Amino acid sequence: MTGISQIYSKSLPAADEIQHGDSLAPEGISGLETDKLPEAKSVSVSSFAVSWAKKYYSTVAARENQAPRQIPQSPELTNFEGNRPQIVDKLTDTLKLASEIAWSRVEALLGEQIERHGIDQSLINSLEIAGDSRTLYRKAIDAYADREPIFRLSVLVGKDLIKVRRKYSDTDPLVLGFVTVKFQYISKILLGCLSESERAEFAPYLKVVDDYLHIPYGEINEAAANQPPNSRALLAVQHLLQQTTQIASAVYDRASFQHQGYRSSSGYLSDREVKISGIRDVEIFQSYLCWCVLEGSIHPVQQELFPICVMLYPKLHVSWELVQDMLLILFWEICERLPAEDLTIFLPYLRTLTEMFSRDVFDN
C-alpha cells in the first residue's frame, strides 16, 4: 500500500525517481454526531461511524470528474558526484525549480478533486504553500550543510513542521493532502538531482520532513498533555508507540504476501520504495488511532484520515481491498501484541476504524 506518505509514480521520468472549516464533510453529510466514542457504546457508535463513512464516500463519488488528466513530463535531471558543499549547492539551485514543477504535478493529479470533494478553492494558496515548502526544505538543506546529525533535525525543524501541518489541516484537512503531495514531489526532484551515494546521504533528512508532515505529532503530544498522569489511555498509547514500526513492518509483509503481484501507480508491493512508503502508511494509521484514544473521539479519523485516503488512494490506483486487508491484519497484530488492559482501551477505536474502511462502505 502506498499513497498517503509517498508518491512514486512510474509515469514520471526516471530522473525523478527517488529512494527513499468546521467540518471536512461536504454539505449535507456532516450531521451525524460520531466524534465521541464512549467505550460502553462502541458497537452503536461504530455503526454510526460506518454510516457516516458511507455517506461521505457516496457524496464524493457522485462528484467524480471523468475527464482524463495527464501528468506533465519534467525536464531531465542529471546525476552529479561531489562533496557536501557541492551537494548543498545542487540542492539549493534545484529547490526553486522543484517547487514549481511539483505544484504543476499536484494540479495534474488532484486538480479535479477540488470540485469532487467540495473544497473551497480559495483555501489552496499555491504561493503560500510554495513559500512554506521552500522554507522547510531550506532548513533541512542547511542542517545537512552544517553536518547536523539526523536526530537533531527534529529539534531544529520539528516545531516549524508541526506549525505548517496544523495551519493547513485547520484550514481544511484536504488542503493538507495537497501540501503533502507537493512535498513528496519536491523530495523526488531533489533526490533526483543527486547521485546514488549522495542520495543515500541526504535522504534521511527528507524522511524527517516527511514524517512530521504525515504524522500528527503535535496533535498527539497535545492530547497526551491533557491526560492525567498514568491514565490508562496514555499508558496504552505509550505501549503501542513503542511498537508501531515493528507492527507496520509485519502488517506490510503479510499484506504483500496476500497480494503478490499487486501493482499500483507507485509500483509493485515488492519494490523497495513502495515498501518504505507502505510501512509508513501503516504507521500513519496507527498514529491516528493513538490520537483517537487520547482524544476519546473518532473525530481525527473523520476529519483528516478518511477524507485524505478517499482523495488520494483512487488517484494512485490503490485498491480499497488492499487497504481493508491491511487494516484487518493491523487489527490482529495489535490484538496479539498489546496486553489485555491496553487492548480494552484501543479496541473500540480499532474496530470502528476497520469498519469505516470496510467493503460495506465502498461497495455501496
Side-chain angles (χ1 to χ4, degrees), residues 119-303:
I119 304 170
D120 182 352
Q121 190 161 3
S122 68
L123 299 178
I124 304 177
N125 187 327
S126 61
L127 293 178
E128 184 178 11
I129 295 171
D132 287 336
S133 62
R134 285 197 297 268
T135 297
L136 294 173
Y137 277 108
R138 180 70 253 184
K139 290 186 176 183
I141 294 170
D142 288 343
Y144 173 75
D146 295 338
R147 301 180 184 271
E148 294 282 359
I150 299 299
F151 72 86
R152 281 277 298 160
L153 193 59
S154 62
V155 176
L156 296 171
V157 190
K159 289 184 179 180
D160 294 327
L161 286 163
I162 288 173
K163 183 178 178 180
V164 167
R165 186 189 192 282
R166 181 167 291 180
K167 177 174 73 172
Y168 292 108
S169 64
D170 285 350
T171 299
D172 182 333
L174 285 182
V175 177
L176 176 64
F178 279 74
V179 174
T180 56
V181 169
K182 173 168 182 171
F183 271 72
Q184 289 305 316
Y185 282 134
I186 292 176
S187 293
K188 291 169 67 66
I189 296 170
L190 289 178
L191 292 178
C193 78
L194 303 177
S195 68
E196 184 174 353
S197 60
E198 293 169 343
R199 204 174 296 144
E201 191 174 340
F202 184 65
Y205 290 82
L206 294 184
K207 185 180 185 301
V208 174
V209 175
D210 292 341
D211 286 347
Y212 269 88
L213 279 175
H214 290 100
I215 297 177
Y217 287 121
E219 288 78 3
I220 291 172
N221 289 336
E222 187 175 284
N226 292 328
Q227 290 284 329
N230 297 320
S231 73
R232 283 304 320 154
L234 185 58
L235 291 174
V237 166
Q238 289 173 339
H239 294 160
L240 180 60
L241 289 177
Q242 293 169 0
Q243 305 181 64
T244 51
T245 300
Q246 295 91 330
I247 291 174
S249 297
V251 169
Y252 188 85
D253 288 343
R254 289 175 61 182
S256 298
F257 181 78
Q258 291 183 11
H259 293 266
Q260 296 182 50
Y262 180 88
R263 190 183 192 282
S264 69
S265 62
S266 305
Y268 293 100
L269 295 178
S270 56
D271 293 348
R272 179 179 179 275
E273 295 85 358
V274 175
K275 182 173 182 177
I276 291 171
S277 62
I279 289 173
R280 181 180 292 146
D281 276 7
V282 184
E283 291 180 304
I284 290 170
F285 274 82
Q286 291 179 83
S287 72
Y288 276 89
L289 183 62
C290 290
W291 185 7
C292 288
V293 167
L294 293 171
E295 289 281 0
S297 164
I298 199 64
H299 191 63
V301 173
Q302 288 183 306
Q303 186 73 12

Side-chain angles (χ1 to χ4, degrees), residues 97-110:
L97 177 62
S99 179
E100 295 172 357
I101 294 174
W103 188 250
S104 70
R105 292 179 182 166
V106 171
E107 291 182 320
L109 183 72
L110 299 177

Side-chain angles (χ1 to χ4, degrees), residues 50-63:
V50 171
S51 297
W52 177 90
K54 285 182 181 179
K55 293 180 75 174
Y56 182 96
Y57 184 70
S58 297
T59 301
V60 168
R63 294 174 174 160

